[in-house]
Amino acid sequence: MPYIDQDLQNRWFDFGGDTIINTNRHIRLTQDKPSQSGWLWSRLPMSAPYFQIEFDFKVEGKGDGLVGDGFAVWLTKERAEPGPVFGNRDRFEGVGIFFDTYANSRQSHSFPYVMAMVGDGRTSYDNDHDGLSNRAGGCESDFRGKDVPTKGHITYSADAKVLKLKLQTKEWDQWEECFTLTDVTLPSNFYLGFSAITGEVHDNHDIISVSTWLLSKSDIQVGQRRNNTPPPSSKSGLGWIFKFIVAGGVFAAVVTVAYKMSQKNNNMKRF
Ligand SMILES: [Ca+2]
């Protein structure tokens, strides 16, 4: 927060589609209404061999029965290409993590469901079956409409080729592992993105903060040994890419600024 500077831009992130910035609260990828699609993407590629990403998100809406469709976190070679996969392009190269709140077909697991797909640039996301054939890992997770801040925590080691996701959805500082992917090689340069989509069913899909840390190899190993969050050391992350800090809602006045896409992106808006 407040996410944007006086030019209504952010130095490190670009956003578009139906995304709305509420400078004291959140980046709203979709509102709780039909046929929305929004995105948030890092402007610069990353190539760190060891890193940690933490993001605060909130998914909620007035619907108590059918809601959807969910949002995605992206670590991909491509960026800011709107499309059908939770608001982003299909046939991506890299990792997509889907926070799926709508059952497109009957599954053995409950919803919401969080799953990862490792895209090779050619394979399509199987939307009709909620990505069943694409699933590299996943977990059931009751993350909608929670009082506790809901968070995701990703760690990656290029050396071990391991990508891990932990979630905080129940209590503050109570992290639960969702999945550990092995044999994952991210593109040598990839972007960090978030996107969300609604159709007939809908929800607010909000990103509240994003923090990233460059880790050293020893940070990762210590973190794995303790099965805990590797502490971001002062020598590691500074100057790497960006850090958003949650400031708390101390200002009474809420200034909402709707980001107006460039003409180019406007043309890409509906797909
Ligand atoms: Ca789905």
PDB file of all heavy atoms in Angstrom, residues 94-95 118 156 158 161 183-187:
ATOM      1  N   GLY A  94       5.954 -22.527 -17.542  1.00  0.00           N
ATOM      2  CA  GLY A  94       6.282 -22.214 -16.152  1.00  0.00           C
ATOM      3  C   GLY A  94       5.228 -22.818 -15.241  1.00  0.00           C
ATOM      4  O   GLY A  94       4.548 -23.777 -15.603  1.00  0.00           O
ATOM      5  N   VAL A  95       5.107 -22.233 -14.066  1.00  0.00           N
ATOM      6  CA  VAL A  95       4.187 -22.792 -13.071  1.00  0.00           C
ATOM      7  C   VAL A  95       2.979 -21.877 -12.877  1.00  0.00           C
ATOM      8  O   VAL A  95       3.121 -20.665 -12.739  1.00  0.00           O
ATOM      9  CB  VAL A  95       4.921 -22.995 -11.724  1.00  0.00           C
ATOM     10  CG1 VAL A  95       3.943 -23.348 -10.611  1.00  0.00           C
ATOM     11  CG2 VAL A  95       5.982 -24.089 -11.855  1.00  0.00           C
ATOM     12  N   VAL A 118       2.446 -27.484 -14.081  1.00  0.00           N
ATOM     13  CA  VAL A 118       3.722 -27.082 -14.663  1.00  0.00           C
ATOM     14  C   VAL A 118       3.527 -27.088 -16.177  1.00  0.00           C
ATOM     15  O   VAL A 118       3.382 -28.151 -16.793  1.00  0.00           O
ATOM     16  CB  VAL A 118       4.856 -28.045 -14.248  1.00  0.00           C
ATOM     17  CG1 VAL A 118       6.183 -27.571 -14.822  1.00  0.00           C
ATOM     18  CG2 VAL A 118       4.938 -28.140 -12.719  1.00  0.00           C
ATOM     19  N   TYR A 156      11.326 -21.826  -3.545  1.00  0.00           N
ATOM     20  CA  TYR A 156      11.841 -22.550  -4.706  1.00  0.00           C
ATOM     21  C   TYR A 156      13.346 -22.683  -4.607  1.00  0.00           C
ATOM     22  O   TYR A 156      14.041 -21.742  -4.198  1.00  0.00           O
ATOM     23  CB  TYR A 156      11.485 -21.810  -5.996  1.00  0.00           C
ATOM     24  CG  TYR A 156      12.018 -22.481  -7.244  1.00  0.00           C
ATOM     25  CD1 TYR A 156      11.503 -23.696  -7.667  1.00  0.00           C
ATOM     26  CD2 TYR A 156      13.060 -21.902  -7.981  1.00  0.00           C
ATOM     27  CE1 TYR A 156      11.996 -24.322  -8.810  1.00  0.00           C
ATOM     28  CE2 TYR A 156      13.557 -22.526  -9.130  1.00  0.00           C
ATOM     29  CZ  TYR A 156      13.017 -23.735  -9.536  1.00  0.00           C
ATOM     30  OH  TYR A 156      13.505 -24.364 -10.653  1.00  0.00           O
ATOM     31  N   ALA A 158      16.260 -23.893  -7.298  1.00  0.00           N
ATOM     32  CA  ALA A 158      16.596 -24.365  -8.648  1.00  0.00           C
ATOM     33  C   ALA A 158      17.541 -25.562  -8.574  1.00  0.00           C
ATOM     34  O   ALA A 158      17.518 -26.434  -9.442  1.00  0.00           O
ATOM     35  CB  ALA A 158      17.237 -23.235  -9.448  1.00  0.00           C
ATOM     36  N   LYS A 161      15.395 -28.331  -7.534  1.00  0.00           N
ATOM     37  CA  LYS A 161      14.219 -28.354  -8.417  1.00  0.00           C
ATOM     38  C   LYS A 161      12.929 -28.577  -7.632  1.00  0.00           C
ATOM     39  O   LYS A 161      12.025 -29.288  -8.076  1.00  0.00           O
ATOM     40  CB  LYS A 161      14.352 -29.426  -9.499  1.00  0.00           C
ATOM     41  CG  LYS A 161      15.543 -29.214 -10.418  1.00  0.00           C
ATOM     42  CD  LYS A 161      15.509 -30.252 -11.513  1.00  0.00           C
ATOM     43  CE  LYS A 161      16.668 -30.087 -12.477  1.00  0.00           C
ATOM     44  NZ  LYS A 161      16.658 -31.094 -13.534  1.00  0.00           N
ATOM     45  N   ASP A 183      11.307 -31.891  -9.181  1.00  0.00           N
ATOM     46  CA  ASP A 183      11.698 -31.891 -10.590  1.00  0.00           C
ATOM     47  C   ASP A 183      11.043 -30.739 -11.378  1.00  0.00           C
ATOM     48  O   ASP A 183      10.596 -30.922 -12.499  1.00  0.00           O
ATOM     49  CB  ASP A 183      11.360 -33.245 -11.236  1.00  0.00           C
ATOM     50  CG  ASP A 183      12.215 -33.504 -12.463  1.00  0.00           C
ATOM     51  OD1 ASP A 183      13.310 -32.927 -12.551  1.00  0.00           O
ATOM     52  OD2 ASP A 183      11.770 -34.271 -13.344  1.00  0.00           O
ATOM     53  N   VAL A 184      10.975 -29.583 -10.746  1.00  0.00           N
ATOM     54  CA  VAL A 184      10.425 -28.395 -11.422  1.00  0.00           C
ATOM     55  C   VAL A 184      11.574 -27.474 -11.823  1.00  0.00           C
ATOM     56  O   VAL A 184      12.369 -27.062 -10.974  1.00  0.00           O
ATOM     57  CB  VAL A 184       9.480 -27.610 -10.498  1.00  0.00           C
ATOM     58  CG1 VAL A 184       9.024 -26.321 -11.170  1.00  0.00           C
ATOM     59  CG2 VAL A 184       8.288 -28.458 -10.115  1.00  0.00           C
ATOM     60  N   THR A 185      11.649 -27.181 -13.093  1.00  0.00           N
ATOM     61  CA  THR A 185      12.627 -26.202 -13.566  1.00  0.00           C
ATOM     62  C   THR A 185      11.865 -25.017 -14.125  1.00  0.00           C
ATOM     63  O   THR A 185      11.129 -25.146 -15.109  1.00  0.00           O
ATOM     64  CB  THR A 185      13.532 -26.800 -14.659  1.00  0.00           C
ATOM     65  OG1 THR A 185      14.184 -27.953 -14.124  1.00  0.00           O
ATOM     66  CG2 THR A 185      14.577 -25.785 -15.101  1.00  0.00           C
ATOM     67  N   LEU A 186      12.016 -23.882 -13.482  1.00  0.00           N
ATOM     68  CA  LEU A 186      11.349 -22.672 -13.959  1.00  0.00           C
ATOM     69  C   LEU A 186      12.102 -22.135 -15.175  1.00  0.00           C
ATOM     70  O   LEU A 186      13.298 -22.386 -15.337  1.00  0.00           O
ATOM     71  CB  LEU A 186      11.327 -21.614 -12.852  1.00  0.00           C
ATOM     72  CG  LEU A 186      10.379 -21.902 -11.685  1.00  0.00           C
ATOM     73  CD1 LEU A 186      10.593 -20.868 -10.576  1.00  0.00           C
ATOM     74  CD2 LEU A 186       8.927 -21.885 -12.143  1.00  0.00           C
ATOM     75  N   PRO A 187      11.399 -21.387 -16.035  1.00  0.00           N
ATOM     76  CA  PRO A 187      12.107 -20.726 -17.134  1.00  0.00           C
ATOM     77  C   PRO A 187      13.253 -19.869 -16.582  1.00  0.00           C
ATOM     78  O   PRO A 187      13.167 -19.365 -15.462  1.00  0.00           O
ATOM     79  CB  PRO A 187      11.018 -19.842 -17.764  1.00  0.00           C
ATOM     80  CG  PRO A 187       9.725 -20.492 -17.384  1.00  0.00           C
ATOM     81  CD  PRO A 187       9.961 -21.097 -16.040  1.00  0.00           C
TER      82      PRO A 187
END
